[in-house]
Amino acid sequence: MKGGAFGFLSLFAMTPLAVAAQECCTTKPNVVLIYADDLGYGDIGCYGAKNVATPNVNALADSGCRFTNAYSVASTSTPSRYSLLTGEYPWRKKGTDVAAGDAAMIISPEQYTVADLFKENGYATAAFGKWHLGLGAESGKQNWNAPISPALSDIGFDSSYIMAATADRVPCVFIENGAVANYDSTAPIYVSYSANFEGEPTGRNNPELLYNMRHSHGHDMSIVNGIGRIGYMKGGGSALWRDENIADSITAHAVEFIKGCVEKPFFVYFATNDVHVPRFPHERFRGMTGMGMRGDAIAQFDWCVGTVVDALKERGVYENTIIIVTSDNGPVVDDGYADAAEELLNGHDPMGGLRGGKYSCFEAGTRVPFIVHWPARIKSALVSDALVSQIDFMNVMAGIIGAPIVDSISPDGLCGQEKAWVGETLQGRPFVVGMASNHTLSLVTDEWKYIEPKGGLLMVPWGPKIETGYSKVPQLFKRVNGEFNESVNVATENSAIVEAVSLILENVRNNVRN
Ligand code: NG6
Ligand code: CA
């Protein structure tokens, strides 16, 4: 790895630099962010997965830049997505933890988002798939039978077709431009996260109705499509989704948008439901991997990627479109449904050899697949070990599209990371900060990984078999041959390093930048 032990300290003290507009492209590139859910560092072929074929993602890596030290901002979804869209660390803002399906909109209309950035710079903007960042003005008070406000159009998205939260949380309907898609007026929708609606079955009381999938932990409230969910809902009728059609549905909407968007460059936030629970891929992917639903959901994810790529090619905009494939957090095998994911792994390692997983502050919590593909600028395949973080998405995009005032738009993103993101330098960030589900922060540099002392249970307590990485004592791991050995804590014998890295973390926490 590059750099001395503390080369990053001087970088840290620097005021972010203004970034020169790039000269390579005369027209603004389109941007398609393909944001998988819970896809692990080891879950796709080009990152070493053996039991599942991912030809479409691999093809992007084969002519793009594939990163081996790329990080999501948190090891769960809502905080990661919040940071990617706003450039602000989630621990700076209350209410950014895993959101209920009836949470109010977490990003306020006053905040600047990456969608605002694109829109202000002449782009058409759209979001498809998993949202999980709340809708409406007040939690639990949305009227799901009327347009909901505020919604995505208030934070920069011209159009949207989303799931309010996750597939395992009610309401199980798509929201299109702020209102329930395919609304069925004969079945008004009611949602509660505190009490069931009279006479409605639940997974807990009516397991005989779970004809598609049973839960292993949690997920025993309302039943939709023969699957128990988190939260209670009533109604929906023909607007209710079928889990097996979610990938087809969001992909079809994204393709339609790409094909129809001929006047302006576009930004597409394409957030798949795969491979989050409940994993219930379409019939045509079943049995493709021998790993059951989880493996088949990865195959389905790969199909989504291929279908979006085909649409870009058909439009003739593939060359000057930046496609980024990444994940919101690390993987989990049993996340609450009896889908036999664990029994059928057959040697597959979703964590790609890293310790921990989703929820954790060990590496598998936030180290994610990350591929940047842009034929107009990235001319040959590259593997980069530069440190990159999704916190910089907004700034990198601003730099690439030549947007003005890049210094002020993102509270926590660094400026000047564009070249690292397109593989033109192997020098990425001086450090990356990550957050685990109990808000323990960690800091990664080229040489060290530090996990702050906070304490907590060693294992995720509610079901997933994942080591949290929490400890009451500081943890420090040294990078050896490119990788951290997170089972050997070298904090005691490197107290000066611990002091230095914890100071960096404190400075970040206290926002000491300028
Ligand atoms: C947990 C859910 C899990 C998943 C997670 C959020 C239970 C028992 N577990 O609370 O299934 O939904 O929240 O995942 O309810 S995330 O990827 O959206 O952050
Ligand atoms: Ca997730």
Side-chain angles (χ1 to χ4, degrees):
M1 296 298 292
K2 312 98 3 200
F6 296 112
F8 51 82
L9 282 175
S10 57
L11 272 167
F12 176 70
M14 275 165 47
T15 307
L17 300 169
V19 178
Q22 300 299 338
E23 292 164 357
C24 81
C25 308
T26 46
T27 53
K28 286 181 177 162
N30 306 299
V31 177
V32 179
L33 176 73
I34 304 180
Y35 207 17
D37 200 348
D38 299 359
L39 188 73
Y41 187 70
D43 267 332
I44 41 185
C46 55
Y47 282 89
K50 295 271 184 298
N51 301 342
V52 50
T54 55
N56 294 301
V57 180
N58 298 355
L60 295 177
D62 284 346
S63 53
C65 189
R66 180 173 75 80
F67 290 83
T68 57
N69 283 314
Y71 290 84
S72 62
V73 184
S75 57
T76 53
S77 155
T78 303
S80 256
R81 288 159 198 260
Y82 173 82
S83 294
L84 177 129
L85 288 171
T86 64
E88 179 176 64
Y89 288 124
W91 36 269
R92 292 209 198 280
K93 178 157 165 160
K94 279 213 169 76
T96 55
D97 286 317
V98 174
D102 64 350
M105 199 156 80
I106 291 170
I107 302 173
S108 70
E110 294 74 42
Q111 278 180 279
Y112 197 73
T113 69
V114 74
D116 289 320
L117 168 81
F118 281 112
K119 198 175 157 81
E120 275 178 12
N121 283 276
Y123 278 68
T125 55
F128 303 99
K130 171 171 169 173
W131 182 237
H132 211 188
L133 285 162
L135 288 169
E138 212 181 323
S139 294
K141 296 277 193 279
Q142 299 90 347
N143 175 2
W144 299 95
N145 306 291
I148 299 165
S149 174
L152 279 71
S153 58
D154 298 292
I155 55 168
F157 288 103
D158 296 325
S159 43
S160 57
Y161 180 81
I162 54 153
M163 307 157 73
T166 57
D168 60 347
R169 283 173 175 76
V170 302
C172 299
V173 288
F174 288 105
I175 314 288
E176 187 163 23
N177 300 324
V180 171
N182 192 27
Y183 182 71
D184 182 347
S185 57
T186 67
I189 298 168
Y190 302 96
V191 171
S192 166
Y193 272 71
S194 51
N196 193 17
F197 298 96
E198 213 183 313
E200 294 295 309
T202 62
R204 197 177 315 143
N205 297 330
N206 308 87
E208 72 286 357
L209 299 179
L210 300 173
Y211 56 84
N212 271 329
M213 196 179 286
R214 289 182 170 242
H215 48 273
S216 57
H217 55 265
H219 305 106
D220 58 358
M221 292 163 243
S222 284
I223 301 171
V224 175
N225 193 29
I227 299 175
R229 315 280 166 165
I230 308 171
Y232 303 100
M233 83 175 282
K234 182 179 168 170
S238 57
L240 293 171
W241 68 51
R242 285 182 175 273
D243 302 72
E244 55 272 47
N245 296 334
I246 290 174
D248 280 346
S249 184
I250 62 171
T251 306
H253 280 79
V255 165
E256 193 189 337
F257 176 82
I258 289 168
K259 289 195 170 159
C261 191
V262 290
E263 310 257 286
K264 293 177 172 182
F266 52 81
F267 165 55
V268 173
Y269 175 81
F270 183 65
T272 66
N273 168 50
D274 296 315
V275 297
H276 198 277
V277 296
R279 302 160 189 135
F280 204 69
H282 190 270
E283 198 69 36
R284 67 187 188 279
F285 299 101
R286 304 275 176 95
M288 270 180 87
T289 65
M291 289 197 288
M293 298 296 203
R294 188 174 187 282
D296 297 348
I298 299 174
Q300 179 169 269
F301 170 75
D302 186 72
W303 171 85
C304 294
V305 173
T307 306
V308 168
V309 165
D310 287 348
L312 295 168
K313 286 180 176 165
E314 268 177 49
R315 264 286 318 277
V317 295
Y318 178 69
E319 283 290 308
N320 198 23
T321 296
I322 303 171
I323 304 172
I324 298 177
V325 179
T326 189
S327 178
D328 67 339
N329 54 253
V332 50
V333 182
D334 177 355
D335 206 16
Y337 289 94
D339 58 5
E342 205 155 308
E343 297 86 316
L344 295 172
L345 279 175
N346 193 22
H348 174 72
D349 177 12
M351 287 75 179
L354 304 174
R355 194 168 180 187
K358 180 176 178 177
Y359 309 110
S360 170
C361 47
F362 284 137
E363 282 294 277
T366 50
R367 180 102 64 91
V368 286
F370 194 87
I371 297 163
V372 179
H373 184 269
W374 184 12
R377 179 139 170 204
I378 303 173
K379 296 295 181 190
S380 59
L382 245 141
V383 178
S384 171
D385 66 356
L387 281 181
V388 299
S389 166
Q390 292 172 5
I391 194 79
D392 296 329
F393 182 57
M394 175 128 71
N395 275 355
V396 167
M397 291 300 120
I400 283 176
I401 67 176
I405 352 173
V406 292
D407 284 12
S408 61
I409 53 176
S410 159
D412 290 307
L414 285 187
C415 294
Q417 293 297 302
E418 300 83 307
K419 286 194 170 170
W421 279 48
V422 296
E424 288 169 7
T425 170
L426 295 181
Q427 187 65 60
R429 296 188 125 243
F431 58 83
V432 167
V433 175
M435 185 185 85
S437 64
N438 82 340
H439 287 210
T440 296
L441 300 187
S442 59
L443 187 129
V444 167
T445 74
D446 281 342
E447 267 195 283
W448 303 100
K449 168 155 182 175
Y450 168 70
I451 302 176
E452 67 173 354
K454 190 174 161 86
L457 295 168
L458 293 182
M459 299 294 292
V460 173
W462 59 85
K465 294 191 190 101
I466 290 178
E467 293 178 295
T468 59
Y470 306 154
S471 171
K472 282 195 176 124
V473 299
Q475 296 175 83
L476 185 74
F477 309 107
K478 189 170 169 54
R479 201 190 288 270
V480 179
N481 297 328
E483 202 46 84
F484 300 111
N485 178 354
E486 290 187 294
S487 25
V488 182
N489 181 5
V490 297
T492 316
E493 55 270 46
N494 293 284
S495 52
I497 308 278
V498 169
E499 205 174 305
V501 289
S502 56
L503 180 66
I504 299 174
L505 192 55
E506 273 325 290
N507 281 341
V508 174
R509 207 192 305 266
N510 299 328
N511 211 3
V512 183
R513 287 225 299 185
N514 301 307

